[in-house]
Amino acid sequence: MSARTVSVILSAVLVVYFVLLGGRALALFRDGSPIAVALGVGVVLLPVVGAWIVWSTLRFGVRTSELGRRLAAEDGLPDTLDLPRTPSGRVDRSAADAWFETQRAAAEQAPDDWRSWYRLAVAYDVAGDRSRARDAMRKALELAQV
């Protein structure tokens, strides 16, 4: 199953969950007591925050995919297929670290090029640092103005 399909399914499940939460919030509002109304407000805020998180995550994914397509059209996607792998299929840690260093150096050489930041994001991901990978991808998106 593709990541896009999983995202759509999970988003649909969240919509159902938000509708159910809305029903609970209405029941709390109908009760009328101050505590129930306060809880109802809290229950209404949960879907709002959840919807914002879903929206921002999906938007990040769409924008990242767009950058990937642009880089692929330029034949500039990073290639990790030649890196040695562990039996589980992950890139060998020392190989990932060495490849990361080359991508980091390239990003330092061209700090205003979104392509180098995209490749650096992939290098962070391969090295297992998801947080910095997202940060580097955000920088690539900012530079590319997608």
Side-chain angles (χ1 to χ4, degrees):
M1 196 178 307
S2 73
R4 182 172 293 190
T5 303
V6 170
S7 295
V8 169
I9 290 170
L10 289 176
S11 296
V13 168
L14 279 173
V15 167
V16 170
Y17 178 68
F18 295 158
V19 168
L20 292 174
L21 277 177
R24 295 292 175 204
L26 286 176
L28 288 167
F29 288 139
R30 286 187 189 127
D31 183 88
S33 71
I35 292 175
V37 171
L39 286 172
V41 169
V43 170
V44 166
L45 290 178
L46 286 174
V48 170
V49 171
W52 177 80
I53 290 170
V54 167
W55 167 252
S56 63
T57 302
L58 290 176
R59 184 172 178 258
F60 179 76
V62 167
R63 294 171 66 211
T64 300
S65 294
E66 173 61 28
L67 273 191
R69 283 191 293 276
R70 284 174 57 184
L71 200 54
E74 298 173 4
D75 200 29
L77 281 177
D79 184 15
T80 61
L81 295 176
D82 295 338
L83 295 175
R85 309 248 171 200
T86 64
S88 67
R90 290 180 177 234
V91 175
D92 179 69
R93 183 66 184 186
S94 60
D97 290 344
W99 189 69
F100 168 79
E101 286 303 321
T102 63
Q103 299 305 315
R104 185 181 59 78
E108 287 175 353
Q109 292 287 325
D112 295 330
D113 183 13
W114 67 265
R115 294 159 190 87
S116 63
W117 283 95
Y118 185 98
R119 291 183 194 105
L120 181 61
V122 172
Y124 272 123
D125 187 59
V126 167
D129 192 342
R130 305 286 189 270
S131 175
R132 288 189 176 139
R134 283 189 299 275
D135 291 343
M137 191 59 76
R138 285 186 190 101
K139 179 71 173 178
L141 290 166
E142 175 187 315
L143 291 171
Q145 298 178 357
V146 173

Short mmCIF file of all heavy atoms in Angstrom, two decimals, residues 95-132:
data_model
loop_
_atom_site.label_atom_id
_atom_site.label_comp_id
_atom_site.label_asym_id
_atom_site.label_seq_id
_atom_site.Cartn_x
_atom_site.Cartn_y
_atom_site.Cartn_z
N ALA A 95 28.19 3.43 6.40
CA ALA A 95 28.00 3.90 5.02
C ALA A 95 27.04 5.09 5.00
O ALA A 95 27.26 6.06 4.26
CB ALA A 95 27.47 2.78 4.14
N ALA A 96 26.00 5.03 5.81
CA ALA A 96 25.04 6.13 5.89
C ALA A 96 25.72 7.39 6.42
O ALA A 96 25.49 8.50 5.90
CB ALA A 96 23.86 5.75 6.78
N ASP A 97 26.56 7.22 7.43
CA ASP A 97 27.27 8.37 7.99
C ASP A 97 28.23 8.98 6.98
O ASP A 97 28.32 10.21 6.85
CB ASP A 97 28.02 7.97 9.26
CG ASP A 97 27.09 7.67 10.43
OD1 ASP A 97 25.89 8.06 10.36
OD2 ASP A 97 27.54 7.04 11.40
N ALA A 98 28.95 8.14 6.25
CA ALA A 98 29.89 8.64 5.24
C ALA A 98 29.14 9.36 4.12
O ALA A 98 29.56 10.43 3.66
CB ALA A 98 30.71 7.48 4.67
N TRP A 99 28.03 8.77 3.67
CA TRP A 99 27.24 9.40 2.61
C TRP A 99 26.64 10.71 3.10
O TRP A 99 26.59 11.69 2.37
CB TRP A 99 26.16 8.45 2.11
CG TRP A 99 25.44 8.93 0.90
CD1 TRP A 99 25.96 9.05 -0.36
CD2 TRP A 99 24.10 9.38 0.82
NE1 TRP A 99 25.00 9.53 -1.22
CE2 TRP A 99 23.86 9.74 -0.51
CE3 TRP A 99 23.07 9.51 1.75
CZ2 TRP A 99 22.63 10.23 -0.93
CZ3 TRP A 99 21.85 9.98 1.33
CH2 TRP A 99 21.64 10.34 0.00
N PHE A 100 26.22 10.72 4.36
CA PHE A 100 25.69 11.94 4.95
C PHE A 100 26.73 13.05 4.90
O PHE A 100 26.42 14.20 4.57
CB PHE A 100 25.24 11.70 6.40
CG PHE A 100 24.96 12.97 7.14
CD1 PHE A 100 23.77 13.64 6.95
CD2 PHE A 100 25.92 13.52 7.98
CE1 PHE A 100 23.53 14.84 7.61
CE2 PHE A 100 25.68 14.72 8.64
CZ PHE A 100 24.49 15.37 8.45
N GLU A 101 27.96 12.75 5.25
CA GLU A 101 29.02 13.76 5.26
C GLU A 101 29.22 14.37 3.89
O GLU A 101 29.44 15.59 3.77
CB GLU A 101 30.33 13.18 5.80
CG GLU A 101 30.33 12.95 7.29
CD GLU A 101 30.02 14.20 8.11
OE1 GLU A 101 30.50 15.30 7.74
OE2 GLU A 101 29.31 14.10 9.12
N THR A 102 29.13 13.57 2.84
CA THR A 102 29.27 14.13 1.49
C THR A 102 28.10 15.06 1.17
O THR A 102 28.30 16.11 0.55
CB THR A 102 29.36 13.03 0.41
OG1 THR A 102 28.16 12.27 0.40
CG2 THR A 102 30.55 12.11 0.66
N GLN A 103 26.90 14.70 1.59
CA GLN A 103 25.73 15.54 1.33
C GLN A 103 25.77 16.82 2.17
O GLN A 103 25.37 17.88 1.71
CB GLN A 103 24.44 14.76 1.59
CG GLN A 103 24.27 13.54 0.71
CD GLN A 103 24.38 13.87 -0.76
OE1 GLN A 103 23.80 14.84 -1.26
NE2 GLN A 103 25.13 13.06 -1.49
N ARG A 104 26.26 16.68 3.40
CA ARG A 104 26.39 17.86 4.26
C ARG A 104 27.40 18.84 3.67
O ARG A 104 27.15 20.06 3.62
CB ARG A 104 26.81 17.46 5.67
CG ARG A 104 26.85 18.63 6.65
CD ARG A 104 27.30 18.21 8.04
NE ARG A 104 28.61 17.62 8.07
CZ ARG A 104 29.77 18.30 8.02
NH1 ARG A 104 29.75 19.61 7.92
NH2 ARG A 104 30.92 17.67 8.06
N ALA A 105 28.51 18.32 3.18
CA ALA A 105 29.52 19.18 2.57
C ALA A 105 28.95 19.86 1.32
O ALA A 105 29.21 21.05 1.09
CB ALA A 105 30.76 18.35 2.20
N ALA A 106 28.18 19.14 0.54
CA ALA A 106 27.57 19.74 -0.66
C ALA A 106 26.59 20.84 -0.27
O ALA A 106 26.52 21.89 -0.93
CB ALA A 106 26.86 18.67 -1.47
N ALA A 107 25.83 20.64 0.82
CA ALA A 107 24.89 21.67 1.27
C ALA A 107 25.64 22.90 1.80
O ALA A 107 25.18 24.02 1.62
CB ALA A 107 23.97 21.10 2.34
N GLU A 108 26.78 22.67 2.43
CA GLU A 108 27.59 23.80 2.89
C GLU A 108 28.18 24.59 1.73
O GLU A 108 28.35 25.79 1.81
CB GLU A 108 28.70 23.31 3.82
CG GLU A 108 28.18 22.88 5.17
CD GLU A 108 29.28 22.28 6.05
OE1 GLU A 108 30.42 22.09 5.57
OE2 GLU A 108 28.98 22.00 7.22
N GLN A 109 28.49 23.88 0.63
CA GLN A 109 29.03 24.53 -0.56
C GLN A 109 27.99 25.37 -1.28
O GLN A 109 28.32 26.37 -1.91
CB GLN A 109 29.59 23.48 -1.54
CG GLN A 109 30.81 22.76 -1.03
CD GLN A 109 32.03 23.66 -1.06
OE1 GLN A 109 32.19 24.48 -1.94
NE2 GLN A 109 32.90 23.50 -0.07
N ALA A 110 26.73 24.92 -1.21
CA ALA A 110 25.64 25.63 -1.91
C ALA A 110 24.47 25.84 -0.95
O ALA A 110 23.42 25.21 -1.09
CB ALA A 110 25.20 24.82 -3.13
N PRO A 111 24.63 26.72 0.04
CA PRO A 111 23.59 26.88 1.06
C PRO A 111 22.28 27.49 0.55
O PRO A 111 21.26 27.37 1.22
CB PRO A 111 24.24 27.79 2.10
CG PRO A 111 25.28 28.54 1.34
CD PRO A 111 25.76 27.61 0.26
N ASP A 112 22.29 28.09 -0.63
CA ASP A 112 21.07 28.69 -1.17
C ASP A 112 20.42 27.83 -2.24
O ASP A 112 19.47 28.27 -2.89
CB ASP A 112 21.39 30.07 -1.74
CG ASP A 112 21.82 31.04 -0.66
OD1 ASP A 112 21.37 30.87 0.49
OD2 ASP A 112 22.63 31.94 -0.96
N ASP A 113 20.90 26.62 -2.44
CA ASP A 113 20.35 25.72 -3.45
C ASP A 113 19.42 24.71 -2.78
O ASP A 113 19.86 23.91 -1.96
CB ASP A 113 21.48 25.01 -4.18
CG ASP A 113 20.99 24.11 -5.30
OD1 ASP A 113 19.81 24.23 -5.70
OD2 ASP A 113 21.80 23.29 -5.80
N TRP A 114 18.16 24.74 -3.16
CA TRP A 114 17.19 23.83 -2.55
C TRP A 114 17.54 22.38 -2.83
O TRP A 114 17.24 21.49 -2.04
CB TRP A 114 15.76 24.15 -3.00
CG TRP A 114 15.47 23.90 -4.45
CD1 TRP A 114 15.52 24.82 -5.46
CD2 TRP A 114 15.06 22.67 -5.05
NE1 TRP A 114 15.18 24.23 -6.65
CE2 TRP A 114 14.88 22.91 -6.43
CE3 TRP A 114 14.83 21.39 -4.56
CZ2 TRP A 114 14.49 21.92 -7.33
CZ3 TRP A 114 14.43 20.40 -5.46
CH2 TRP A 114 14.27 20.66 -6.81
N ARG A 115 18.20 22.13 -3.97
CA ARG A 115 18.54 20.75 -4.34
C ARG A 115 19.50 20.14 -3.32
O ARG A 115 19.34 18.98 -2.94
CB ARG A 115 19.15 20.72 -5.73
CG ARG A 115 18.19 21.11 -6.81
CD ARG A 115 18.93 21.56 -8.07
NE ARG A 115 18.02 22.15 -9.03
CZ ARG A 115 17.68 23.44 -9.03
NH1 ARG A 115 18.15 24.27 -8.12
NH2 ARG A 115 16.84 23.90 -9.93
N SER A 116 20.48 20.91 -2.88
CA SER A 116 21.44 20.38 -1.90
C SER A 116 20.74 20.13 -0.56
O SER A 116 21.06 19.16 0.13
CB SER A 116 22.62 21.33 -1.73
OG SER A 116 22.22 22.58 -1.23
N TRP A 117 19.78 20.97 -0.20
CA TRP A 117 19.04 20.76 1.04
C TRP A 117 18.11 19.55 0.94
O TRP A 117 17.93 18.82 1.92
CB TRP A 117 18.26 22.02 1.42
CG TRP A 117 19.16 23.04 2.00
CD1 TRP A 117 19.77 24.08 1.35
CD2 TRP A 117 19.61 23.11 3.35
NE1 TRP A 117 20.55 24.80 2.20
CE2 TRP A 117 20.48 24.23 3.45
CE3 TRP A 117 19.36 22.36 4.48
CZ2 TRP A 117 21.09 24.59 4.64
CZ3 TRP A 117 19.97 22.72 5.67
CH2 TRP A 117 20.82 23.82 5.74
N TYR A 118 17.55 19.32 -0.24
CA TYR A 118 16.72 18.14 -0.44
C TYR A 118 17.57 16.89 -0.26
O TYR A 118 17.18 15.95 0.45
CB TYR A 118 16.10 18.16 -1.85
CG TYR A 118 15.13 17.03 -2.11
CD1 TYR A 118 13.77 17.24 -1.98
CD2 TYR A 118 15.57 15.77 -2.47
CE1 TYR A 118 12.87 16.22 -2.22
CE2 TYR A 118 14.68 14.74 -2.70
CZ TYR A 118 13.34 14.96 -2.57
OH TYR A 118 12.45 13.93 -2.81
N ARG A 119 18.73 16.87 -0.89
CA ARG A 119 19.63 15.71 -0.77
C ARG A 119 20.11 15.54 0.68
O ARG A 119 20.24 14.41 1.16
CB ARG A 119 20.82 15.87 -1.71
CG ARG A 119 20.43 15.77 -3.17
CD ARG A 119 21.65 15.86 -4.08
NE ARG A 119 21.23 16.08 -5.44
CZ ARG A 119 21.32 17.25 -6.08
NH1 ARG A 119 21.87 18.30 -5.49
NH2 ARG A 119 20.91 17.38 -7.32
N LEU A 120 20.35 16.65 1.36
CA LEU A 120 20.75 16.58 2.77
C LEU A 120 19.62 15.98 3.61
O LEU A 120 19.86 15.18 4.52
CB LEU A 120 21.13 17.96 3.30
CG LEU A 120 21.60 18.02 4.75
CD1 LEU A 120 22.85 17.17 4.96
CD2 LEU A 120 21.85 19.46 5.17
N ALA A 121 18.38 16.35 3.30
CA ALA A 121 17.23 15.78 4.02
C ALA A 121 17.18 14.27 3.82
O ALA A 121 16.93 13.52 4.77
CB ALA A 121 15.94 16.43 3.54
N VAL A 122 17.42 13.82 2.60
CA VAL A 122 17.45 12.37 2.34
C VAL A 122 18.59 11.73 3.12
O VAL A 122 18.42 10.64 3.70
CB VAL A 122 17.56 12.09 0.82
CG1 VAL A 122 17.78 10.61 0.56
CG2 VAL A 122 16.33 12.60 0.10
N ALA A 123 19.74 12.39 3.17
CA ALA A 123 20.88 11.85 3.91
C ALA A 123 20.57 11.73 5.40
O ALA A 123 20.92 10.73 6.04
CB ALA A 123 22.11 12.72 3.67
N TYR A 124 19.93 12.75 5.96
CA TYR A 124 19.52 12.67 7.37
C TYR A 124 18.58 11.49 7.57
O TYR A 124 18.69 10.74 8.55
CB TYR A 124 18.82 13.96 7.81
CG TYR A 124 19.73 15.03 8.33
CD1 TYR A 124 19.73 16.29 7.75
CD2 TYR A 124 20.56 14.82 9.43
CE1 TYR A 124 20.54 17.31 8.25
CE2 TYR A 124 21.38 15.82 9.93
CZ TYR A 124 21.36 17.06 9.33
OH TYR A 124 22.16 18.05 9.82
N ASP A 125 17.64 11.32 6.65
CA ASP A 125 16.67 10.23 6.77
C ASP A 125 17.37 8.88 6.71
O ASP A 125 17.08 7.99 7.51
CB ASP A 125 15.62 10.36 5.67
CG ASP A 125 14.50 9.36 5.84
OD1 ASP A 125 13.84 9.38 6.90
OD2 ASP A 125 14.29 8.55 4.91
N VAL A 126 18.29 8.73 5.77
CA VAL A 126 19.02 7.47 5.65
C VAL A 126 19.84 7.20 6.90
O VAL A 126 19.96 6.07 7.35
CB VAL A 126 19.91 7.49 4.38
CG1 VAL A 126 20.92 6.35 4.38
CG2 VAL A 126 19.05 7.44 3.13
N ALA A 127 20.37 8.27 7.50
CA ALA A 127 21.16 8.13 8.73
C ALA A 127 20.28 7.91 9.96
O ALA A 127 20.79 7.67 11.05
CB ALA A 127 22.05 9.35 8.92
N GLY A 128 18.96 8.03 9.79
CA GLY A 128 18.05 7.76 10.90
C GLY A 128 17.65 8.97 11.71
O GLY A 128 17.00 8.82 12.75
N ASP A 129 18.00 10.16 11.28
CA ASP A 129 17.67 11.38 12.03
C ASP A 129 16.48 12.06 11.36
O ASP A 129 16.61 12.97 10.57
CB ASP A 129 18.88 12.31 12.07
CG ASP A 129 18.71 13.44 13.07
OD1 ASP A 129 17.56 13.70 13.48
OD2 ASP A 129 19.73 14.05 13.43
N ARG A 130 15.29 11.59 11.69
CA ARG A 130 14.06 12.07 11.05
C ARG A 130 13.77 13.54 11.35
O ARG A 130 13.29 14.28 10.50
CB ARG A 130 12.85 11.23 11.48
CG ARG A 130 12.97 9.75 11.26
CD ARG A 130 12.82 9.41 9.79
NE ARG A 130 12.71 7.99 9.57
CZ ARG A 130 13.74 7.18 9.36
NH1 ARG A 130 14.95 7.68 9.35
NH2 ARG A 130 13.56 5.90 9.14
N SER A 131 14.07 13.96 12.56
CA SER A 131 13.79 15.35 12.94
C SER A 131 14.60 16.32 12.09
O SER A 131 14.06 17.29 11.54
CB SER A 131 14.10 15.53 14.43
OG SER A 131 13.95 16.86 14.80
N ARG A 132 15.88 16.07 11.98
CA ARG A 132 16.72 16.94 11.15
C ARG A 132 16.40 16.79 9.67
O ARG A 132 16.57 17.73 8.91
CB ARG A 132 18.19 16.68 11.44
CG ARG A 132 18.60 17.19 12.80
CD ARG A 132 20.08 17.12 12.99
NE ARG A 132 20.43 17.71 14.27
CZ ARG A 132 21.32 17.20 15.09
NH1 ARG A 132 21.99 16.12 14.76
NH2 ARG A 132 21.58 17.79 16.24
#
